[in-house]
RNA sequence: GCGCCCGUAGCUCAACUGGAUAGAGCAACGGCCUUCUAAGCCGUAGGUUACAGGUUCGACUCCUGUCGGGCGUACCA
């Protein structure tokens, strides 16, 4: 519908004396006030500065020249300072409603991004411990944005980037070794900054089981590190799977060392005088990109900082034929990404091909109090513990509920509450309730003729239809903005329109044609709820 | 100090990327169950959108400044 309105407005505007540049984008939006129609355009207001006339008379002129299909648009009005308001024709609503059932599981899919190959990188937690709630927001955001993009026609791959070398992993190996020795009754101290979590002891115990005392005199921590990595990764994957997330690939940072791309990056930078040596280290001239300090790429110890492989990794992603890469990371990493962008730009890539979703921190609220966490200290809530308490559906929902770029308060008590307080149930309940009715309809009726949708004339029925058919546009806007919470807000609104309809209009016990028409409406609602919940990765039960 | 993000009803948050009278959910108050799931519906109350300026037909949204909170500001990841 938006496209249709844009096209008829555009042809009306052709009759004005305007150049292409003077013509502003035609915006179509859904007015807040129902009295203002179903769609509205502010085009006349935007044109008033160009044409130097008052917007109302421009609107009048546009409307005069407007040609539209009465099967789609019932009325066009000018209101307020110069808005053009459109009211949809009933026929249009009924036609669209038919489509919903015809398309079924695919209703909502568009081809907006078809032909695009997108790589979305998320979670990317190093295997030093179980996933925590902080990773949870990352994981769910990344996966859901991926689903949204898939629904708009893009081909999306999910990738997990990790590093199993470096200091943290060394300390991990040392920590496991210390616990292993302790398990066997030997004296051993955790290294400084060692990992204190109980899972370290579990890894140590499984080493005791496998190798008995044979590792007692092994000073090298490699065996401990590798076992830890293996077990922790298994656990991470199990956790992700439990959250309904499947990665397409895992990328080890080591690869960009092994294939020589690290050196290539440095070389290319040097050629452009973007890299230089100072104090035994190699620096990236980030000042040239507007930063007030240059950045170390290779420490004087000879070890690269994480920025260097990060740049090489992004180049690698773009080289693999993705036209767009999306990274998901927490606010604490915000400083690194301008350097990565500068880096790939220096390598000759268009920086707009890398896009970033930054999310703010999660505060877990337990018993009314916020809970501060740190992975290294044993003081954290794992994602698994959270899912043990509230289940995967609610976990996903709560992480998606808020705009990414705002702090998220996850109130465990609220999440655990049955019904009333809990927004997830509201959606699932509406869905289950519809299916309960559909089961009864199936038992009692056998419709033979095509449904007469024009019998849906009640105000609540029409509002519900309008809400339903907005779904595809909703997906597009959530995908484009990378803000899954919009989908939640929409579904909530849809469910609320349904329950109003449910209270105003009965389905069973009415005249057969009306039963049939309302059944179609209910079915379409359930369809959209189910499709929407699928995008969110949340189940849509038919019974509760 | 500097950089990024945030500040909206008592609490947690929306507001379609600059649109018309700022909306939901909890919490409070008042109604609604011999009829399709009351895990629900309807209503009342609650606001100078932190504050002060500016930009324009129009600002919660953009710009400047102030105050308050979070994160970063490493040859850690």
């Amino acid at each position: 519908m938006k496209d249709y309105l844009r096209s008829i407005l555009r042809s009306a505007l052709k009759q004005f004396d305007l150049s292409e540049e003077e013509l502003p984008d035609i915006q179509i939006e859904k007015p807040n006030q129902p009295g203002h129609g179903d769609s509205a355009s502010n085009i006349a207001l935007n044109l008033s500065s160009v044409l130097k006339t008052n917007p109302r008379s421009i609107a009048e002129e546009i409307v005069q020249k407007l040609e539209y299909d009465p099967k789609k648009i019932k009325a066009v009005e000018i209101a307020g300072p110069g808005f053009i308001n459109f009211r949809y024709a009933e026929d249009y609503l009924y036609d669209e409603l038919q489509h919903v059932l015809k398309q079924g599981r695919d209703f909502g899919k568009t081809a907006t991004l078809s032909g695009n190959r997108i790589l979305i990188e998320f979670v990317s937690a190093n295997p030093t411990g179980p996933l925590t709630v902080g990773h949870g927001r990352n994981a769910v955001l990344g996966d859901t944005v991926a689903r949204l993009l898939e629904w708009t026609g893009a081909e999306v791959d999910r990738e997990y980037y990790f590093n199993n070398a470096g200091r943290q992993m060394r300390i991990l190996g040392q920590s496991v070794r210390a616990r292993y020795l302790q398990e066997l009754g030997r004296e051993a101290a955790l290294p400084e900054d060692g990992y204190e979590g109980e899972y370290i002891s579990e890894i140590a115990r499984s080493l005791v089981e496998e190798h008995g005392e044979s590792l007692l005199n092994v000073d090298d921590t490699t065996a401990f590190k590798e076992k830890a990595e293996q077990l922790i990764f298994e656990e991470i994957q199990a956790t992700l799977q439990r959250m309904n997330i499947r990665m397409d690939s895992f990328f080890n940072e080591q690869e960009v060392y092994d294939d020589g791309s690290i050196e290539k990056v440095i070389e290319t930078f040097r050629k452009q005088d973007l890299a230089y040596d100072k104090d035994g280290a190699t620096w990236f001239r980030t000042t040239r990109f507007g930063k007030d300090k240059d950045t170390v790429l290779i420490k004087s110890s000879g070890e690269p900082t994480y920025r260097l492989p990060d740049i090489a990794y992004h180049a690698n992603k773009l080289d693999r034929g993705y036209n767009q890469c999306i990274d998901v990371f927490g606010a604490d990493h915000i400083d690194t990404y301008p350097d990565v962008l500068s880096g790939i730009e220096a390598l000759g890539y268009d920086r707009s091909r890398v896009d970033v979703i930054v999310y703010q921190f999660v505060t877990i609220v337990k018993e009314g109090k916020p809970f501060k966490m740190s992975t290294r200290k044993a003081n954290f809530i794992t994602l698994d513990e959270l899912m043990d308490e509230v289940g995967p559906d609610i976990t996903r929902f709560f992480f998606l509920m808020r705009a990414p770029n705002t702090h998220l308060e996850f109130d465990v008590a609220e999440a655990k509450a049955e019904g009333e307080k809990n927004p997830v149930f509201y959606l699932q309940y509406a869905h289950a309730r519809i299916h309960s009715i559909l089961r009864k309809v199936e038992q009692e009726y056998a419709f033979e003729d095509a449904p007469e949708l024009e019998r849906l004339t009640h105000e609540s029925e029409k509002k519900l239809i309008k809400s339903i058919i907005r779904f595809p546009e909703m997906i597009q806007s959530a995908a484009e903005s990378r803000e899954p919470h919009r989908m939640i807000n929409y579904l909530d609104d849809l469910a609320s329109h349904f329950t109003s309809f449910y209270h105003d209009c009965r389905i069973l016990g009415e005249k057969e044609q009306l039963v049939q028409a309302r059944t179609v409406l209910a079915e379409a609602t359930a369809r959209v709820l189910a499709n929407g919940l699928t995008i969110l990765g949340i189940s849509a039960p038919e019974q509760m």
Side-chain angles (χ1 to χ4, degrees), chain A residues 10 56 69 93 138 182 227 378 387 450 503 513 533 540-541:
Chain A
R10 196 170 300 125
R56 259 200 99 99
D69 180 355
L93 300 181
N138 185 313
Q182 289 169 4
K227 187 68 187 173
M387 283 191 278
H503 283 268
Q513 285 84 355
L533 286 168

Side-chain angles (χ1 to χ4, degrees), chain A residues 126-128 161-170 225-226 229 233 251-255:
Chain A
N126 288 337
T128 56
Y161 176 70
F162 71 99
N163 161 17
N164 60 355
R167 188 179 117 87
Q168 290 309 321
M169 289 301 288
R170 242 179 356 252
K225 196 180 90 176
E226 283 177 357
E229 181 183 336
F233 253 133
F251 191 100
N252 190 337
E253 183 184 309
Q254 193 59 42
E255 282 185 42

